[in-house]
Amino acid sequence: MNDFKEILDQYSWEEVQTKIYDASDQDVHRALNRANLTLNDFMALISPAATPYLEQMALKAQQITQRRFGKTIQLYAPLYLSNECQNICTYCGFSMDNKIRRKTLNNTELLLEAMALKSMGVNHVLLVSGEANKTVEINYFLNAIELLKPHFSQISVEVQPLEQEEYQLLQAAGVYAILVYQETYHREVYKKYHPKGKKSNFDYRLDTPDRIGRAGIHKIGLGVLLGLEDWRVDSFFTATHISYLQKQYWQTRYSISFPRLRPAEGSVAPNFHLSDKHLLQLICAYRLWNENLEISISTRENESFRDHIIPIGVTTMSAASKTNPGGYVVDPQALEQFEVSDERDMETIKNQIRKMGYDPVMKDWESNYSGLVR
């Protein structure tokens, strides 16, 4: 196979959906008793048939996570660079058709936001931006990284899909990880939610992790926006995508995130509801399927859910997040991309992690040994 599109095109969304919902108790038992799980096993674990086995899945997920990652939770914070965007996405507060005040941070504002994060003890920052390809583009990102690099041990990026050569520039600048979400793997539904702008090109976005992998970025983060389509089917295709990438770019590390559709300016309501119980099932299924996969939970989730998920499978959490450019000190009233649910400050979250017998870590220690890991 030359690219993931060829693999995706071999599947029928409806046939995958039927297979998931037709999974049996026997399929679940088989998956729970295997050491090395297949994608078919993952399909069984996210099926309705697996719901009665959630306690067993959670216990096994906890054991695997502690064995592989220890009792640590890596913490990071997002730094929103801009809410300018040239796409229309019907679920996003930054969508081009929303009549909001647009803001892009200048150098002084970037450093002010950085100092606010440093005062919280943040050492791993995630740079996030709307997709304004003409104004907030590769040169802007490179400048921001150059300004911020002296202040943070790790800088990750979640921006619009770029060309391979641009990812190579980010890699050379010291970027640690790139996050890119397909939103949904359902081609027709994708068009409905992304009617205008460069993001409307499904195949270009689908090929993005390949461009990142070929550029040699240390870690790639994937996920879908849970609520746009059937979460079970979208998650199967996400796992299939990760499986493909791990074979193609075996030296790269991978993470998975679980953004549930949250309220935002002008956004649509979720098309498919994902309950806390089902999100827990999904997290456990990923951990049982792939013990090396890093699992991240953002402040989209409420504090009770985030606290309870700490011992089960999560390795990374955002904390004290502001989802608007300048949200920490420069312009707290600017429009958010989405509403944050867990609004606790960094120290409160760190204390809660310690209370549960885990260690909050402000950076990913393995990057210190990247020459050995890669």
Side-chain angles (χ1 to χ4, degrees), residues 80-87 92 94 102-103 128-133 135-137 141 158-160 337:
Y80 275 70
L81 305 173
S82 174
N83 63 6
E84 293 187 58
C85 195
Q86 294 164 350
N87 297 314
C92 181
F94 292 175
R102 304 290 176 169
K103 182 174 185 60
V128 187
S129 174
E131 300 192 7
N133 297 291
T135 53
V136 188
E137 38 68 62
F141 300 138
E158 182 185 335
V159 298
Q160 70 266 26
Q337 186 181 30

Side-chain angles (χ1 to χ4, degrees), residues 43 53 69 313:
M43 192 180 288
Y53 299 90
F69 295 95

Side-chain angles (χ1 to χ4, degrees), residues 67-277:
R67 183 176 70 241
R68 173 61 181 84
F69 295 95
K71 299 184 74 173
T72 62
I73 301 293
Q74 298 162 21
L75 294 175
Y76 73 94
L79 197 169
Y80 275 70
L81 305 173
S82 174
N83 63 6
E84 293 187 58
C85 195
Q86 294 164 350
N87 297 314
I88 293 179
C89 302
T90 61
Y91 51 80
C92 181
F94 292 175
S95 184
M96 185 175 66
D97 57 342
N98 284 341
K99 305 303 180 185
I100 63 170
R101 180 168 58 89
R102 304 290 176 169
K103 182 174 185 60
T104 297
L105 299 183
N106 60 33
N107 288 354
T108 300
E109 292 168 334
L110 273 169
L111 290 172
L112 286 170
E113 292 289 284
M115 292 307 100
L117 290 174
K118 287 297 292 183
S119 71
M120 303 178 200
V122 173
N123 219 4
H124 181 184
V125 66
L126 172 67
L127 305 184
V128 187
S129 174
E131 300 192 7
N133 297 291
K134 294 180 180 178
T135 53
V136 188
E137 38 68 62
I138 185 63
N139 291 318
Y140 179 91
F141 300 138
L142 291 172
N143 175 69
I145 292 162
E146 188 66 25
L147 284 172
L148 299 175
K149 193 159 53 172
H151 305 289
F152 299 98
S153 295
Q154 290 167 340
I155 298 177
S156 298
V157 173
E158 182 185 335
V159 298
Q160 70 266 26
L162 302 170
E163 295 297 325
Q164 180 179 329
E165 295 77 12
E166 294 172 317
Y167 286 126
Q168 288 169 336
L169 291 173
L170 293 179
Q171 194 275 340
V175 166
Y176 170 66
I178 304 285
L179 282 63
V180 59
Y181 303 136
Q182 187 62 29
E183 315 298 13
T184 177
Y185 285 86
H186 194 303
R187 188 180 291 272
E188 288 72 30
V189 169
Y190 182 94
K191 293 177 184 176
K192 171 185 170 186
Y193 286 110
H194 309 96
K196 189 172 182 180
K198 193 171 182 179
K199 193 171 179 177
S200 64
N201 187 332
F202 179 91
D203 288 336
Y204 183 77
R205 196 169 191 89
L206 189 70
D207 186 52
T208 302
D210 274 291
R211 298 194 298 276
I212 299 170
R214 289 193 294 267
I217 296 292
H218 183 75
K219 183 165 75 174
I220 301 175
L222 285 87
V224 291
L225 185 53
L226 298 164
L228 297 186
E229 245 302 332
D230 187 324
W231 64 269
R232 291 185 167 96
V233 186
D234 255 334
S235 297
F236 168 78
F237 284 118
T238 307
T240 304
H241 203 170
I242 292 170
S243 179
Y244 156 82
L245 291 167
Q246 286 181 318
K247 293 183 178 76
Q248 293 289 111
Y249 315 104
W250 58 268
Q251 291 179 306
T252 303
R253 294 166 62 186
Y254 296 90
S255 68
I256 183 75
S257 299
F258 305 91
R260 281 194 280 190
L261 191 57
R262 292 280 299 154
E265 180 72 21
S267 70
V268 297
N271 197 24
F272 289 81
H273 178 66
L274 176 64
S275 68
D276 286 357
K277 183 178 181 180

Side-chain angles (χ1 to χ4, degrees), residues 25-42:
D25 277 3
Q26 185 179 4
D27 296 324
V28 178
H29 276 285
R30 187 182 303 115
L32 287 172
N33 288 293
R34 272 188 176 165
N36 299 305
L37 275 64
T38 66
L39 285 168
N40 282 336
D41 294 323
F42 179 79

Side-chain angles (χ1 to χ4, degrees), residues 281-292:
Q281 178 184 352
L282 182 57
I283 290 170
C284 291
Y286 270 110
R287 174 55 67 228
L288 269 58
W289 169 66
N290 190 328
E291 68 174 22
N292 293 315

Side-chain angles (χ1 to χ4, degrees), residues 333-344:
Q333 302 306 313
L335 180 76
E336 299 175 314
Q337 186 181 30
F338 57 85
E339 289 182 12
V340 169
S341 187
D342 185 350
E343 297 183 341
R344 292 174 293 179

